[in-house]
Amino acid sequence: MPKIIQISVPPEKSFEEEYIFHLALSKSGLYESDVKDWYIKKRSVDARKRPVKIQLAVALFEKGEEIVSPLQDIVFKNVANAEPVHIIGAGPAGMFAALACIEHGLKPIVFERGKDVRSRRRDLAKLNKEHVLNPESNYCYGEGGAGTYSDGKLYTRSTKRGDVNKVLSLLVQHGADPEIMVDAHPHIGTNKLPSIITAIRETILNYGGEFNFEHKLTDLEMEKGVLQRLEINSSKKIETSELVLATGHSARDIFELLHRKEIKIEYKPFSLGVRIEHPQELINSIQYHGERSSVYLPQASYSLVHQVDGKGVYSFCMCPGGIIAPCATEPGSVVSNGWSPSKRNNPYANSGMVVEVDDELTDAYASFGPLRGLKFQEEVEKTCWEAGGKTQALPLKDYLILYMERTV
Ligand SMILES: Cc1cc2nc3c(=O)[nH]c(=O)nc-3n(C[C@H](O)[C@H](O)[C@H](O)COP(=O)(O)OP(=O)(O)OC[C@H]3O[C@@H](n4cnc5c(N)ncnc54)[C@H](O)[C@@H]3O)c2cc1C
């Protein structure tokens, strides 16, 4: 096991290898001649007080010790003739399920309702420039799912999410910057994701998996509660008694299909809110105590949590130097999300500001059973569209005045 040494350095020194090594060495009690190899294991910003510092965890390997690379080398098998596994949805869940199949010697056959990354780009351009939404090819549907044009922030507050290091290694294996293995808050950036998704698809194809774009699951044929066949594009039938359903959160038609087929689904509590935008420099100056003079400091982010009348209100998916994106999958509804390029160099920061949706809010939809949250969400999305149409944004002050007028 390496010796892990924690050091704190000024931002301008945080990429100077010689300086970092010798500082860590001086704290370790080792001589330089004792050390066989070393690397930076974690890097994070400590902005709790001025001056802002960078915290580093440095791994020092002594002579005679096995060097353990943080990067895992994932080995795949050729599965062209292996037992097939049908996967619906080529989002992050579907793609990683396909990779897991290959690792375990099974042949993934992926069906995706949207288009491949390249063709999908044209539909997004049309959406952004002409406000024309293609319900089958948009920010959420298509190769890579909502993940392709997501921000690519790769951290989770949960500690029970399996082998995070393996996921990061797979992304690096497919073109992500190796720094994601080191940063405490790793971020890929939307400009980099499409090529990573394409590389993952190529791995899946090279090892014998299959992709079928513009293939939408339209029905599940059941007999006595057991799956018999998949129906694709309302015509093609595929015999199977098992499938991996990785259709994500936006595919409301799938939740409705499952409910219709009496497949057990449960209402899951969720949060809902608005996306708020502010100048990035304002966030930098607040978080870095008015002193972001150093180019070595990343664009600052924030995370807010508050309780109002017993309800949790919190910021979500904060995108420093980012853009707000229209992420609806159905015409006539408003859904917004945020992304940022790898350099996070847009002048505005944005963040979701959400509140927990409790039973009281969804009571009016109780007759929809497990779909009640979905129906409530649909209603809010449509109401916002009717209120604002294509103009989906307004100054925060106006929003708050409107809110006060309607509630007081
Ligand atoms: C703009 C934006 C920014 C985001 N930023 C981040 C971030 O920084 N970090 C983060 O962790 N998360 C982020 N997210 C959320 C993240 O993208 C999703 O949590 C993630 O994509 C969910 O993966 P999934 O595979 O479960 O579902 P999805 O990505 O929704 O993929 C589901 C796939 O299934 C397909 N599908 C649906 N129905 C059918 C059907 N009937 N037949 C065939 N195919 C079907 C869809 O077309 C889609 O490709 C962001 C999302 C957006 C939109």
Side-chain angles (χ1 to χ4, degrees), residues 186-322:
H187 169 245
I188 291 187
T190 314
N191 52 321
K192 303 256 169 100
L193 282 163
S195 62
I196 294 171
I197 296 292
T198 306
I200 294 179
R201 183 225 304 158
E202 275 160 13
T203 294
I204 294 168
L205 292 175
N206 288 343
Y207 284 92
E210 273 180 29
F211 270 91
N212 301 278
F213 294 110
E214 298 181 73
H215 277 61
K216 175 175 167 180
L217 174 76
T218 42
D219 200 6
L220 297 168
E221 291 185 8
M222 317 279 295
E223 268 169 36
K224 293 186 184 146
V226 179
L227 178 64
Q228 305 292 320
R229 256 159 257 105
L230 311 178
E231 183 195 79
I232 303 288
N233 290 343
S234 306
S235 56
K236 190 173 170 177
K237 309 269 174 171
I238 294 162
E239 302 279 330
T240 184
S241 58
E242 289 163 340
L243 86 159
V244 176
L245 197 57
T247 45
H249 143 279
S250 310
R252 285 200 268 250
D253 49 357
I254 288 294
F255 294 110
E256 278 160 11
L257 172 68
L258 295 174
H259 191 47
R260 229 173 26 247
K261 296 285 161 178
E262 297 178 354
I263 294 170
K264 192 175 176 220
I265 52 172
E266 280 180 9
Y267 166 73
K268 180 175 174 286
F270 64 106
S271 297
L272 188 131
V274 295
R275 203 154 260 271
I276 186 165
E277 195 174 51
H278 12 236
Q280 180 61 46
E281 273 313 314
L282 174 69
I283 307 300
N284 290 341
S285 87
I286 295 169
Q287 296 296 72
Y288 295 146
H289 317 287
E291 54 161 73
R292 194 198 174 233
S293 52
S294 168
V295 291
Y296 298 96
L297 281 176
Q299 301 278 38
S301 62
Y302 62 80
S303 167
L304 298 173
V305 184
H306 192 61
Q307 286 275 325
V308 180
D309 299 335
K311 271 188 201 175
V313 183
Y314 56 97
S315 62
F316 173 73
C317 184
M318 197 264 161
C319 301

Side-chain angles (χ1 to χ4, degrees), residues 88-95 111-114 120 136 138-155 187 190 215-218 232 245-251 253-254 275 316-319 323 325 327 336-339:
I88 313 294
M95 286 198 137
F111 295 97
E112 165 56 49
R113 72 195 293 165
R120 191 179 169 191
E136 300 300 338
N138 43 56
Y139 271 98
C140 295
Y141 293 167
E143 185 178 17
T148 306
Y149 296 100
S150 75
D151 188 30
K153 284 184 289 297
L154 299 172
Y155 44 92
H187 169 245
T190 314
H215 277 61
K216 175 175 167 180
L217 174 76
T218 42
I232 303 288
L245 197 57
T247 45
H249 143 279
S250 310
D253 49 357
I254 288 294
R275 203 154 260 271
F316 173 73
C317 184
M318 197 264 161
C319 301
I323 301 273
C327 295
S336 59
N337 211 315
W339 62 269

Side-chain angles (χ1 to χ4, degrees), residues 91-107:
M95 286 198 137
F96 274 78
L99 290 170
C101 283
I102 295 177
E103 229 188 311
H104 291 93
L106 297 163
K107 174 180 174 141

